[in-house]
Amino acid sequence: MPDADSLARYNAKRDFAKTAEPAGKVAKTGGNRFLVQKHDATRLHWDFRLEVDGVLKSWAVTRGPSLDPDEKRLAVRTEDHPLSYADFEGTIPKGEYGGGTVMLWDTGSWEPVPGKSAKDLEKGHLHFVLHGERMNGEWLLIRLKPRGKEKAENWLLRKINDAYAGATDELVETGLTSVTTGRTMQEIAEGAKPKRVQGRKRPALNRHPREGGDPLANRSAAGAETPPSMDSRLRGNDKGEIGARSRKDSKAPAFQSPQLATLVDTVPTGNQWLHEIKYDGYRALIATGSGGPKIYTRSGLDWTEKFPGIAEAAATLPPGALIDGEIVAMQDGKPDFSTLQEAISAGGEGLLCFAFDLLAETGEDLTALPQIERKERLRALLDGADDRIRFSEHIIGQGEKLFESMCREGFEGVVSKRADVTYRGTRSKAWLKIKCTHRQEFVILGWTASTARGRGFKSLLLGLNGPDGLVYAGKVGTGFNTETLLSMRERLDKLAADKPAAKVPRPEARGAHWVKPELVAEIAFAEFTAEKVVRHASFLGLREDKPADAVVAEEPADLPEATPSTIKISSRDRVIFPESKLTKGDLADYYAAVAPIALPWLAERPISLVRCPQGRAKQCFFQKHDAGSFGEQVHHVDIREKDGSTQPYLYVSDVDGMLACVQMGSIEFHGWGSRVADVEKPDRLVFDLDPDEGLDFEVVKKAAEHLKEQLAEIGLTSWPMLSGGKGVHVVVPLVPQAEWPAAKSFCERFARALAQAEPERFTANLKKANRVGRIFIDYLRNQRGATAVLPYVARARANAPVATPVTWTELRGIDSAHAFTIKDAATLLERAASRALRGWGTADQTLPDL
């Protein structure tokens, strides 16, 4: 039993006749719960709590937990709390200790890393692992030495660099809803009813907290004067239905043949390639639907029952998805095929699936989209998902470094994929695999007996399919344990045959026992000899997802030749940006370089072009319709106009389309907020903050932060983008569900509510006369047919600035909206692959039902 006095301080600070907090009572020991409560008291903070000895050891983390291993967050030790506090969410009355709103922000379990224990807290150093809805992986708590007469016990909370590491403020900027009730802080303060939270990790829909002085902020303590919340102001100015937050149900998509990679010897170079870890496991396609998930092998076998844990995790994902990935078992921090075999034999629990492609979403076929865009949509789908299905991260360019690192750390190798290709469902050189060691499948032809007692066999005889049937390919006698030898022998005996299925050299055939060629083994080996037999072979496991007649020698192919664009850029030396002497060729080279990171936002979206054939300082004009002059690389989609006519709107699908527009004098690409697949349903909103002449950029940044906070109040996460001009765009991604009238109504009411609350700061009026000294919140971007500049697009302005995605943390330190130019292509590519921008502009969210 814990010491009852450990809760004396907790009880002494509270009047339980006034607060709904639970009284401090001693509980039984032995649990390992952890939780985090977001607490809007005198100062907003996050209360981090670990169950130890029957109480909750507690720290107040002033800026919230950070996923960045280089970021150390101050954690002030507070009084122990009772275990019953782990379920508390609500308001503490004004004037009481800790008065304010409390949200249950995260919950789960914890344990010390091996060799450590909770007693290490007494030493001032705890290394532990969290399994939460938001916080996961390894963390450290370190006690600081006291300074002077400090009464508070100060600690540091830090993330260890592992698979769960991320951006500095990723958690606090995207996690503003309760993991148990789905409510925002504002809704908790107002006593709103809990929302239904699905049986999956709730997507992180909100973000960074306000930082004081906000006239619209609800201080949330009972009895305090609270200005009307954003959602109440929107309701009070209602102009129509916003749309439900639930999605349409979808049946599970049918199996599709998976895309296969071609074996090569070296990693391809160039920014058109993205590179992933090659996982050592079973390829699987996961289909989700109302009838429950299905897990298919690469050949289409239904293996759902073999992977119950993965199926359970997939059941929490939205229906209508078809996910491509690799199911693995981890051993010593790496995927291990032998461990996978053992896990499947033991019931299929404890496995992970690394998902690397998305073929369908809510029933929509995505195979025609570029590879990089499919991955970004997959990332959004898996945001907050059950941890047994994980997003497979990638890098763009620098594949050689990844390959060297993977080989050094004992991984199988890497897979390299063209960033702009569609999903073809066959083997091609658009997907390449580069292995650290030789390994492939072989057909088992027979076995030789062992002289050792109790050993099932000495070695296996191997074969491969050739043009004229099976041919002998060597033998393997290592890599087996006793259990494998015995279980394999049972299977071999059931397949006994009178003669070999292939011609085997006489010395090898002497004393051999033959089997029907039905079993397939995965073998690692040093090389093939001149006689085409393996040397130094080691058995890894049986492959039951591949038929024996499909097993052939896997010879490395030549790397595909670099595929230069079919678009020839004429007049490359024509100066387009006279201030910096940048040319049409420079602009084309920029777009070719950044295509992998620009296409997820630009491809398959109706666009308007800013064309400046003689340069940005000469006559420029918008073009949105296809006049047939761009060539076959630039497509069109027929869209109905208000007058009932149909017009061909431009769109592109790949880098050739982008460059064809540049060849025709285009500098800027502005996109609709919807895709050509369904132009009536936006997948993002954009609030363009356009400052009056003379307003400092610092004013714009603070305004953007304010919009972010108000959007968070109603449950919407957002990201900032430097416009490349004067202002900042606040981007709100959406699941394409609500139609344009609802989106426009929401955005207009939101902008007008802000302008009404702070008329000296904002205006929602388009007239220039109304902007004097103020910032125009341009909500008109969010209506059918309107466009906004797209990420990574160059602007027709002095020195060729670029519209650039940034994080909220970064924005605070940036001096202008045109901080990056087309000269910074390499920097932009590096930034896009960084931890800080992971998941920028993606979220599984819909318009709030207001």
Side-chain angles (χ1 to χ4, degrees):
M1 274 291 191
D3 184 356
D5 289 341
S6 62
L7 296 175
R9 186 179 170 207
Y10 169 87
N11 286 323
K13 287 177 174 287
R14 290 161 176 83
D15 183 347
F16 297 106
K18 296 180 180 179
T19 180
E21 297 168 280
K25 296 180 181 179
V26 173
K28 293 181 179 179
T29 61
N32 66 333
R33 188 171 179 179
F34 97 89
L35 66 139
V36 181
Q37 283 157 319
K38 185 176 177 182
H39 190 177
D40 190 5
T42 304
R43 182 178 180 183
L44 185 66
H45 62 277
W46 283 253
D47 289 312
F48 179 74
R49 312 190 196 280
L50 298 175
E51 180 178 351
V52 178
D53 294 335
V55 297
L56 295 171
K57 301 292 183 183
S58 300
W59 293 260
V61 185
T62 52
R63 292 175 55 204
S66 173
L67 292 179
D68 185 351
D70 295 327
E71 182 83 5
K72 301 177 180 68
R73 291 288 163 91
L74 179 65
V76 180
R77 184 76 177 268
T78 61
E79 73 275 12
D80 294 345
H81 282 52
L83 296 187
S84 54
Y85 208 92
D87 298 312
F88 176 69
E89 178 173 286
T91 57
I92 302 171
K94 181 182 179 181
E96 293 302 300
Y97 175 74
T101 306
V102 177
M103 171 197 287
L104 190 50
W105 185 84
D106 200 6
T107 186
S109 62
W110 79 280
E111 75 264 358
V113 297
K116 301 293 182 180
S117 76
K119 293 187 181 298
D120 290 343
L121 281 173
E122 300 171 8
K123 305 173 186 176
H125 183 283
L126 182 64
H127 188 180
F128 55 99
V129 177
L130 297 179
H131 307 282
E133 303 262 340
R134 288 180 170 132
M135 296 176 69
N136 284 280
E138 292 185 46
W139 296 76
L140 275 177
L141 271 169
I142 302 171
R143 185 170 59 210
L144 299 176
K145 292 182 179 180
R147 293 183 298 179
K149 297 181 180 180
E150 275 184 343
K151 293 182 179 180
E153 190 176 294
N154 291 327
W155 294 60
L156 293 177
L157 176 66
R158 182 169 75 86
K159 183 76 186 74
I160 297 296
N161 193 3
D162 60 15
Y164 298 98
T168 295
D169 284 326
E170 181 177 342
L171 286 180
V172 297
E173 287 175 352
T174 62
L176 293 186
T177 52
S178 166
V179 294
T180 57
T181 66
R183 298 181 295 177
T184 64
M185 292 290 278
Q186 186 70 44
E187 289 168 330
I188 296 169
E190 294 174 349
K193 292 182 179 180
K195 301 174 182 178
R196 182 172 179 268
V197 177
Q198 303 295 326
R200 60 171 288 191
K201 292 190 177 180
R202 184 175 176 82
L205 297 186
N206 312 297
R207 354 120 323 269
H208 193 63
R210 62 179 178 271
E211 294 182 357
D214 185 350
L216 297 183
N218 181 352
R219 296 309 301 161
S220 73
E225 266 188 42
T226 55
S229 63
M230 175 56 75
D231 57 358
S232 66
R233 280 180 276 138
L234 288 172
R235 290 191 187 99
N237 197 19
D238 194 11
K239 289 192 176 181
E241 181 69 21
I242 292 297
R245 293 185 68 90
S246 61
R247 302 189 182 180
K248 295 185 296 183
D249 198 7
S250 301
K251 63 180 182 180
F255 169 79
Q256 296 185 41
S257 296
Q259 177 99 1
L260 301 176
T262 298
L263 179 68
V264 295
D265 281 332
T266 55
V267 181
T269 58
N271 292 328
Q272 71 269 35
W273 293 94
L274 61 85
H275 310 277
E276 303 166 337
I277 296 172
K278 189 176 190 306
Y279 296 103
D280 191 4
Y282 272 132
R283 183 76 172 274
L285 266 67
I286 301 174
T288 66
S290 54
K294 296 288 185 183
I295 303 177
Y296 298 102
T297 68
R298 58 190 286 173
S299 59
L301 299 175
D302 185 345
W303 275 21
T304 310
E305 292 185 357
K306 288 182 180 285
F307 305 113
I310 302 299
E312 183 180 55
T316 67
L317 293 173
L322 187 59
I323 298 168
D324 194 356
E326 190 93 354
I327 294 176
V328 304
M330 305 298 285
Q331 178 71 28
D332 297 328
K334 299 186 292 291
D336 181 76
F337 189 74
S338 298
T339 303
L340 174 62
Q341 294 273 298
E342 295 169 3
I344 293 174
S345 299
E349 293 289 355
L351 305 178
L352 302 175
C353 178
F354 285 93
F356 47 69
D357 216 319
L358 185 62
L359 283 63
E361 183 179 20
T362 58
E364 177 190 355
D365 184 0
L366 305 183
T367 56
L369 297 180
Q371 171 74 72
I372 188 70
E373 184 174 349
R374 297 195 308 272
K375 286 212 68 174
E376 289 305 318
R377 292 181 67 159
L378 175 63
R379 185 196 296 275
L381 180 76
L382 296 180
D383 180 28
D386 189 299
D387 191 49
R388 287 170 289 187
I389 301 179
R390 302 181 182 179
F391 179 75
S392 175
E393 292 289 349
H394 61 267
I395 62 171
I396 295 174
Q398 300 184 344
E400 304 95 327
K401 291 183 179 179
L402 178 64
F403 181 68
E404 292 172 4
S405 174
M406 292 300 96
C407 294
R408 184 170 59 250
E409 295 178 22
F411 285 79
E412 187 181 354
V414 301
V415 176
S416 302
K417 302 174 182 178
R418 279 283 301 270
D420 59 345
V421 297
T422 59
Y423 194 96
R424 303 177 189 175
T426 185
R427 194 180 301 277
S428 77
K429 288 189 176 182
W431 284 22
L432 305 174
K433 54 184 176 182
I434 308 92
K435 298 182 179 181
C436 297
T437 58
H438 296 289
R439 55 184 293 170
Q440 70 160 77
E441 301 91 358
F442 292 83
V443 180
I444 298 176
L445 303 177
W447 55 277
T448 60
S450 173
T451 57
R453 192 172 180 181
R455 185 178 171 91
F457 55 87
K458 180 180 180 181
S459 62
L460 298 175
L461 303 179
L462 308 174
L464 290 167
N465 289 290
D468 301 317
L470 280 166
V471 294
Y472 178 69
K475 60 184 179 180
V476 58
T478 61
F480 308 101
N481 57 32
T482 302
E483 184 179 347
T484 303
L485 286 166
L486 296 177
S487 62
M488 281 279 294
R489 175 61 185 273
E490 289 182 12
R491 299 189 66 170
L492 293 168
D493 287 344
K494 293 177 182 178
L495 295 173
D498 295 332
K499 58 182 181 180
K503 185 177 180 180
V504 180
R506 187 180 298 274
E508 308 297 342
R510 190 175 296 118
H513 301 262
W514 309 114
V515 298
K516 297 174 184 177
E518 297 179 9
L519 295 180
V520 176
E522 177 94 359
I523 305 295
F525 58 99
E527 62 180 349
F528 278 110
T529 68
E531 292 77 26
K532 299 297 182 182
V533 297
V534 292
R535 291 185 66 238
H536 305 309
S538 178
F539 177 83
L540 298 174
L542 289 178
R543 295 215 67 117
E544 302 189 55
D545 59 337
K546 191 169 185 179
D549 58 7
V551 176
V552 297
E554 202 171 26
E555 298 288 347
D558 294 330
L559 271 178
E561 293 184 9
T563 53
S565 172
T566 58
I567 304 301
K568 301 299 181 184
I569 303 297
S570 62
S571 305
R572 286 183 58 88
D573 295 332
R574 178 183 295 154
V575 174
I576 300 296
F577 301 94
E579 306 83 5
S580 49
K581 308 300 182 187
L582 292 169
T583 66
K584 182 181 179 182
D586 294 327
L587 181 63
D589 292 344
Y590 167 77
Y591 276 124
V594 301
I597 57 176
L599 282 171
W601 316 106
L602 197 154
E604 305 294 316
R605 188 182 296 276
I607 54 174
S608 293
L609 303 172
V610 174
R611 293 180 62 188
C612 308
Q614 300 304 315
R616 78 151 203 97
K618 303 293 179 64
Q619 183 179 9
C620 297
F621 57 92
F622 267 94
Q623 179 172 345
K624 61 182 179 180
H625 294 147
D626 183 7
S629 57
F630 286 89
E632 62 182 12
Q633 294 85 2
V634 179
H635 316 298
H636 78 267
V637 57
D638 290 333
I639 297 179
R640 178 182 50 81
E641 301 281 26
K642 290 181 180 179
D643 62 5
S645 65
T646 299
Q647 294 292 337
Y649 279 73
L650 298 164
Y651 77 94
V652 299
S653 299
D654 52 28
V655 63
D656 280 357
M658 295 168 64
L659 294 181
C661 294
V662 174
Q663 166 59 14
M664 296 297 291
S666 301
I667 295 178
E668 299 186 8
F669 296 82
H670 294 243
W672 279 44
S674 57
R675 304 281 180 156
V676 296
D678 192 345
V679 297
E680 304 303 335
K681 295 178 181 178
D683 65 353
R684 66 172 195 155
L685 306 175
V686 175
F687 294 97
D688 180 4
L689 300 185
D690 188 3
D692 184 33
E693 295 292 340
L695 281 182
D696 189 78
F697 189 62
E698 287 296 318
V699 175
V700 181
K701 292 193 298 184
K702 290 178 181 178
E705 288 262 4
H706 184 67
L707 257 72
K708 174 192 69 171
E709 291 157 4
Q710 299 307 305
L711 288 164
E713 187 179 293
I714 52 178
L716 290 173
T717 188
S718 60
W719 279 267
M721 183 180 78
L722 305 178
S723 69
K726 297 186 299 179
V728 172
H729 287 189
V730 178
V731 180
V732 181
L734 296 175
V735 173
Q737 179 174 297
E739 297 194 347
W740 280 116
K744 180 184 177 184
S745 170
F746 169 80
C747 294
E748 180 177 0
R749 287 185 286 126
F750 180 83
R752 293 195 184 283
L754 285 173
Q756 185 178 10
E758 297 190 63
E760 75 290 344
R761 186 180 187 187
F762 297 114
T763 178
N765 195 313
L766 184 62
K767 293 181 180 179
K768 289 277 188 181
N770 290 83
R771 300 193 199 181
V772 178
R774 294 187 285 181
I775 294 173
F776 173 49
I777 306 173
D778 187 353
Y779 64 88
L780 297 171
R781 309 276 183 180
N782 305 296
Q783 58 184 329
R784 189 180 188 272
T787 61
V789 70
L790 296 164
Y792 302 109
V793 163
R795 304 305 305 270
R797 296 173 180 265
N799 299 311
V802 174
T804 308
V806 295
T807 68
W808 289 110
T809 303
E810 282 183 307
L811 181 63
R812 296 175 195 127
I814 292 176
D815 296 329
S816 74
H818 41 82
F820 298 89
T821 74
I822 66 171
K823 294 180 181 179
D824 298 314
T827 299
L828 292 171
L829 285 163
E830 185 177 346
R831 282 172 43 80
S834 70
R835 179 184 290 147
L837 284 176
R838 186 176 71 182
W840 186 95
T842 59
D844 185 5
Q845 62 186 15
T846 57
L847 286 176
D849 189 8
L850 301 174

